[in-house]
Amino acid sequence: SQQGEEDPQALSIQEGENATMNCSYKTSINNLQWYRQNSGRGLVHLILIRSNEREKHSGRLRVTLDTSKKSSSLLITASRAADTASYFCATDHLIIQGAQKLVFGQGTRLTINP
Amino acid sequence: SQTIHQWPATLVQPVGSPLSLECTVEGTSNPNLYWYRQAAGRGLQLLFYSVGIGQISSEVPQNLSASRPQDRQFILSSKKLLLSDSGFYLCAWSVPTEAFFGQGTRLTVV
């Protein structure tokens, strides 16, 4: 079953605006990751936030984590046309000692209009 | 540096035909390997994972199987494809803080 649920499912904004995507999850986590997927391609890791962190920045990306609400948000500031992609949150779950699996949400399709 | 290769990029197969998708990883040893499937416009569903040669675990019952004949080789197979096997298949390997994905295989069963 899917652990993360992204909101909104689709988002269309003008270039230069900020884009905010949200993710909710169900069980306790060690960390939460965000990935980006260009159409028809593999996923690329963007950023990881640990369960004891509340906010993290990387370039134009800002991620927040609220473990009490089991939710995270990804903010992309000053969006560019090249940011058009699908964005997924993923939570890690221990499989066996030394191995984890990522459980992904359904993703948000972000379209940046020039 | 580590790289992951997955092929073919696209595949069209008739119902009932066999399937073999291959994934190889370079630049690391004893990686944890994964096969995911992605339905159109949806998230990723974990199909199989492997923590070592010959060690395969399945997450969901299905028409597919996986094998790991070598440390850095992961193969997804089927003896007889179903229409419902169509989708986008992604191979990945991971470290505790990040997963690295191949470029995916678009499989269409006709």
Side-chain angles (χ1 to χ4, degrees):
Chain A
S1 63
Q2 296 296 328
Q3 163 79 319
E5 295 294 334
E6 280 92 345
D7 168 50
Q9 292 187 355
L11 179 63
S12 181
I13 62 174
Q14 294 299 120
E15 194 167 20
E17 294 180 340
N18 296 340
T20 300
M21 290 159 274
N22 302 296
C23 166
S24 61
Y25 57 91
K26 298 176 182 177
T27 61
S28 298
I29 60 172
N30 293 319
N31 63 61
L32 185 143
Q33 302 176 38
W34 284 90
Y35 287 79
R36 166 195 169 121
Q37 183 182 34
N38 288 349
S39 180
R41 306 298 295 272
L43 279 72
V44 176
H45 181 264
L46 294 176
I47 194 167
L48 175 149
I49 186 165
R50 301 187 187 281
S51 60
N52 61 354
E53 297 176 313
R54 293 295 169 260
E55 186 172 313
K56 200 164 184 178
H57 297 256
S58 177
R60 293 184 295 113
L61 304 180
R62 172 177 169 254
V63 170
T64 63
L65 179 64
D66 187 335
T67 53
S68 66
K69 296 181 179 178
K70 292 186 170 58
S71 67
S72 174
S73 67
L74 172 66
L75 168 67
I76 303 175
T77 61
S79 63
R80 306 167 182 169
D83 294 329
T84 294
S86 292
Y87 293 83
F88 296 87
C89 68
T91 52
D92 68 319
H93 300 267
L94 184 65
I95 303 173
I96 61 173
Q97 192 63 34
Q100 297 169 303
K101 67 176 183 181
L102 289 176
V103 178
F104 288 83
Q106 297 299 305
T108 293
R109 293 187 303 278
L110 175 64
T111 302
I112 308 299
N113 301 304
Chain B
S1 62
Q2 304 91 350
T3 56
I4 179 168
H5 302 280
Q6 183 181 345
W7 69 94
T10 60
L11 192 59
V12 180
Q13 292 284 101
V15 169
S17 65
L19 172 74
S20 181
L21 303 181
E22 190 162 345
C23 172
T24 60
V25 179
E26 296 178 358
T28 186
S29 60
N30 196 29
N32 294 330
L33 296 172
Y34 309 83
W35 278 110
Y36 287 88
R37 178 168 58 200
Q38 184 178 30
R42 303 296 298 280
L44 279 69
Q45 180 184 38
L46 180 62
L47 302 177
F48 299 96
Y49 63 88
S50 173
V51 299
I53 296 174
Q55 300 179 61
I56 308 295
S57 297
S58 174
E59 281 287 293
V60 294
Q62 58 203 304
N63 185 44
L64 302 168
S65 62
S67 62
R68 185 170 177 174
Q70 300 180 42
D71 181 43
R72 289 170 286 182
Q73 184 185 28
F74 205 22
I75 298 172
L76 184 69
S77 304
S78 174
K79 292 182 179 178
K80 291 184 178 182
L81 283 169
L82 306 172
L83 287 174
S84 58
D85 292 325
S86 293
F88 190 54
Y89 290 83
L90 289 155
C91 179
W93 72 279
S94 74
V95 295
T97 56
E98 185 173 347
F100 303 88
F101 285 84
Q103 290 303 299
T105 296
R106 174 77 57 194
L107 172 65
T108 304
V109 182
V110 296

